[in-house]
Short mmCIF file of all heavy atoms in Angstrom, two decimals:
data_model
loop_
_atom_site.label_atom_id
_atom_site.label_comp_id
_atom_site.label_asym_id
_atom_site.label_seq_id
_atom_site.Cartn_x
_atom_site.Cartn_y
_atom_site.Cartn_z
N LEU G 91 192.84 62.46 139.21
CA LEU G 91 193.64 63.30 140.11
C LEU G 91 193.66 64.75 139.64
O LEU G 91 193.62 65.67 140.46
CB LEU G 91 195.06 62.74 140.21
CG LEU G 91 195.19 61.40 140.93
CD1 LEU G 91 196.62 60.89 140.85
CD2 LEU G 91 194.73 61.51 142.37
N LYS G 94 190.49 66.39 140.68
CA LYS G 94 190.52 66.77 142.10
C LYS G 94 191.32 68.05 142.29
O LYS G 94 190.95 68.91 143.10
CB LYS G 94 191.12 65.65 142.94
CG LYS G 94 190.19 64.50 143.19
CD LYS G 94 190.82 63.47 144.09
CE LYS G 94 189.88 62.30 144.29
NZ LYS G 94 190.43 61.28 145.17
N ALA G 95 192.41 68.18 141.57
CA ALA G 95 193.22 69.39 141.68
C ALA G 95 192.43 70.61 141.23
O ALA G 95 192.50 71.67 141.85
CB ALA G 95 194.50 69.24 140.85
N VAL G 105 195.10 74.26 132.73
CA VAL G 105 194.80 73.06 133.51
C VAL G 105 193.55 72.38 132.97
O VAL G 105 193.51 71.16 132.81
CB VAL G 105 194.68 73.39 135.01
CG1 VAL G 105 194.15 72.20 135.79
CG2 VAL G 105 196.03 73.84 135.55
N ASP G 118 187.22 59.10 127.15
CA ASP G 118 186.07 59.58 127.90
C ASP G 118 185.69 60.96 127.37
O ASP G 118 185.96 61.98 128.01
CB ASP G 118 186.40 59.62 129.40
CG ASP G 118 185.21 59.97 130.27
OD1 ASP G 118 184.14 60.31 129.72
OD2 ASP G 118 185.37 59.92 131.51
N SER G 121 183.39 63.32 129.55
CA SER G 121 184.07 64.07 130.60
C SER G 121 184.94 65.18 130.01
O SER G 121 185.07 66.25 130.61
CB SER G 121 184.92 63.14 131.47
OG SER G 121 184.07 62.25 132.18
N ALA G 125 184.68 69.13 130.93
CA ALA G 125 185.82 69.97 131.30
C ALA G 125 185.86 71.24 130.44
O ALA G 125 186.06 72.34 130.96
CB ALA G 125 187.13 69.19 131.18
N ALA G 129 185.28 75.05 131.84
CA ALA G 129 186.31 76.08 131.60
C ALA G 129 185.70 77.30 130.93
O ALA G 129 185.98 78.44 131.32
CB ALA G 129 187.44 75.50 130.75
N ILE G 130 184.86 77.07 129.94
CA ILE G 130 184.24 78.19 129.23
C ILE G 130 183.27 78.95 130.12
O ILE G 130 183.14 80.17 130.01
CB ILE G 130 183.58 77.69 127.93
CG1 ILE G 130 184.66 77.31 126.92
CG2 ILE G 130 182.64 78.74 127.34
CD1 ILE G 130 184.16 76.57 125.72
N TYR G 133 185.76 80.98 132.25
CA TYR G 133 186.57 81.89 131.43
C TYR G 133 185.91 82.10 130.07
O TYR G 133 186.42 81.65 129.04
CB TYR G 133 187.98 81.33 131.23
CG TYR G 133 188.71 81.06 132.52
CD1 TYR G 133 188.84 79.78 133.02
CD2 TYR G 133 189.28 82.12 133.24
CE1 TYR G 133 189.51 79.53 134.21
CE2 TYR G 133 189.95 81.89 134.42
CZ TYR G 133 190.07 80.59 134.91
OH TYR G 133 190.73 80.36 136.08
N ARG G 135 185.72 84.51 128.07
CA ARG G 135 186.45 85.31 127.08
C ARG G 135 187.81 84.70 126.71
O ARG G 135 188.61 85.32 126.02
CB ARG G 135 186.63 86.74 127.59
CG ARG G 135 185.28 87.47 127.72
CD ARG G 135 185.44 88.92 128.08
NE ARG G 135 186.29 89.66 127.19
CZ ARG G 135 185.93 90.19 126.02
NH1 ARG G 135 184.71 90.03 125.59
NH2 ARG G 135 186.79 90.86 125.28
N GLU G 142 190.21 75.45 121.55
CA GLU G 142 190.44 74.02 121.76
C GLU G 142 189.13 73.25 121.76
O GLU G 142 189.05 72.14 121.25
CB GLU G 142 191.19 73.78 123.08
CG GLU G 142 192.68 73.95 122.94
CD GLU G 142 193.45 73.14 123.94
OE1 GLU G 142 192.90 72.77 125.00
OE2 GLU G 142 194.63 72.87 123.65
N SER G 151 182.61 65.46 114.95
CA SER G 151 181.70 65.68 113.81
C SER G 151 180.49 66.53 114.21
O SER G 151 179.38 66.29 113.77
CB SER G 151 181.24 64.35 113.21
OG SER G 151 182.36 63.62 112.74
N ARG G 152 180.74 67.54 115.02
CA ARG G 152 179.69 68.44 115.47
C ARG G 152 179.97 69.84 114.91
O ARG G 152 180.23 70.78 115.66
CB ARG G 152 179.61 68.41 116.99
CG ARG G 152 179.17 67.03 117.47
CD ARG G 152 179.44 66.76 118.92
NE ARG G 152 178.80 67.70 119.82
CZ ARG G 152 179.05 67.73 121.13
NH1 ARG G 152 179.90 66.88 121.67
NH2 ARG G 152 178.45 68.61 121.90
N GLU G 155 177.95 73.10 116.14
CA GLU G 155 178.35 73.57 117.46
C GLU G 155 179.75 74.19 117.42
O GLU G 155 180.02 75.19 118.08
CB GLU G 155 178.32 72.42 118.47
CG GLU G 155 176.92 71.92 118.77
CD GLU G 155 176.96 70.65 119.58
OE1 GLU G 155 177.07 70.74 120.81
OE2 GLU G 155 176.90 69.56 118.95
N ALA G 157 181.09 75.69 114.85
CA ALA G 157 180.96 76.99 114.20
C ALA G 157 180.43 78.04 115.17
O ALA G 157 180.88 79.19 115.17
CB ALA G 157 180.06 76.89 112.98
N PRO G 168 189.31 88.25 116.97
CA PRO G 168 189.43 87.46 115.74
C PRO G 168 190.86 87.02 115.41
O PRO G 168 191.06 85.90 114.94
CB PRO G 168 188.85 88.36 114.66
CG PRO G 168 188.76 89.72 115.24
CD PRO G 168 188.76 89.57 116.74
N ARG G 169 191.85 87.87 115.65
CA ARG G 169 193.24 87.49 115.34
C ARG G 169 193.70 86.34 116.23
O ARG G 169 194.37 85.41 115.78
CB ARG G 169 194.19 88.68 115.50
CG ARG G 169 194.06 89.69 114.39
CD ARG G 169 195.15 90.76 114.43
NE ARG G 169 196.40 90.20 113.92
CZ ARG G 169 197.52 90.09 114.63
NH1 ARG G 169 197.59 90.50 115.87
NH2 ARG G 169 198.60 89.58 114.08
N GLU G 172 191.98 83.07 115.11
CA GLU G 172 192.61 82.50 113.91
C GLU G 172 193.99 81.94 114.23
O GLU G 172 194.35 80.86 113.77
CB GLU G 172 192.72 83.55 112.80
CG GLU G 172 191.41 83.89 112.14
CD GLU G 172 190.82 82.72 111.38
OE1 GLU G 172 191.56 82.01 110.67
OE2 GLU G 172 189.59 82.52 111.51
N HIS G 176 194.84 77.86 113.92
CA HIS G 176 195.85 77.36 112.99
C HIS G 176 197.07 76.78 113.72
O HIS G 176 197.68 75.83 113.24
CB HIS G 176 196.25 78.44 112.00
CG HIS G 176 195.15 78.78 111.04
ND1 HIS G 176 194.67 77.89 110.11
CD2 HIS G 176 194.39 79.89 110.92
CE1 HIS G 176 193.68 78.44 109.43
NE2 HIS G 176 193.49 79.65 109.91
N SER G 184 203.63 76.49 110.29
CA SER G 184 202.57 76.87 109.35
C SER G 184 201.89 78.17 109.78
O SER G 184 201.70 79.08 108.96
CB SER G 184 201.55 75.75 109.24
OG SER G 184 200.49 76.14 108.40
N THR G 191 201.82 86.73 106.14
CA THR G 191 201.14 87.20 104.93
C THR G 191 199.67 87.52 105.14
O THR G 191 199.05 88.13 104.29
CB THR G 191 201.27 86.16 103.80
OG1 THR G 191 200.68 84.93 104.24
CG2 THR G 191 202.72 85.94 103.41
N VAL G 195 195.66 86.78 111.15
CA VAL G 195 196.14 85.64 111.94
C VAL G 195 197.27 86.11 112.86
O VAL G 195 198.27 86.64 112.40
CB VAL G 195 196.66 84.50 111.02
CG1 VAL G 195 197.21 83.35 111.83
CG2 VAL G 195 195.56 84.04 110.08
N ALA G 197 200.49 85.70 115.13
CA ALA G 197 201.68 84.83 115.14
C ALA G 197 201.76 84.12 116.49
O ALA G 197 201.22 84.60 117.49
CB ALA G 197 202.92 85.67 114.91
N PRO G 203 197.10 82.58 126.39
CA PRO G 203 198.25 82.70 127.28
C PRO G 203 199.52 82.14 126.64
O PRO G 203 199.51 81.06 126.06
CB PRO G 203 197.85 81.89 128.51
CG PRO G 203 196.84 80.91 128.02
CD PRO G 203 196.14 81.57 126.86
N GLN G 209 203.74 74.05 123.87
CA GLN G 209 203.30 72.67 123.66
C GLN G 209 202.89 72.41 122.21
O GLN G 209 202.78 71.26 121.79
CB GLN G 209 202.19 72.27 124.63
CG GLN G 209 200.86 72.90 124.38
CD GLN G 209 199.82 72.44 125.37
OE1 GLN G 209 199.35 71.32 125.26
NE2 GLN G 209 199.49 73.27 126.32
N GLY G 212 206.53 73.12 116.95
CA GLY G 212 207.14 71.97 116.31
C GLY G 212 208.65 71.96 116.50
O GLY G 212 209.26 72.97 116.85
N PRO G 215 213.81 72.42 112.56
CA PRO G 215 214.58 71.60 111.63
C PRO G 215 216.08 71.73 111.88
O PRO G 215 216.59 72.82 112.12
CB PRO G 215 214.20 72.17 110.26
CG PRO G 215 212.89 72.84 110.48
CD PRO G 215 212.92 73.35 111.89
#
Side-chain angles (χ1 to χ4, degrees):
L91 292 175
K94 283 183 182 181
V105 171
D118 186 353
S121 294
I130 288 169
Y133 302 102
R135 295 186 54 83
E142 277 207 337
S151 300
R152 295 163 59 189
E155 292 170 85
R169 287 189 77 242
E172 287 295 317
H176 292 294
S184 177
T191 59
V195 178
Q209 71 179 285

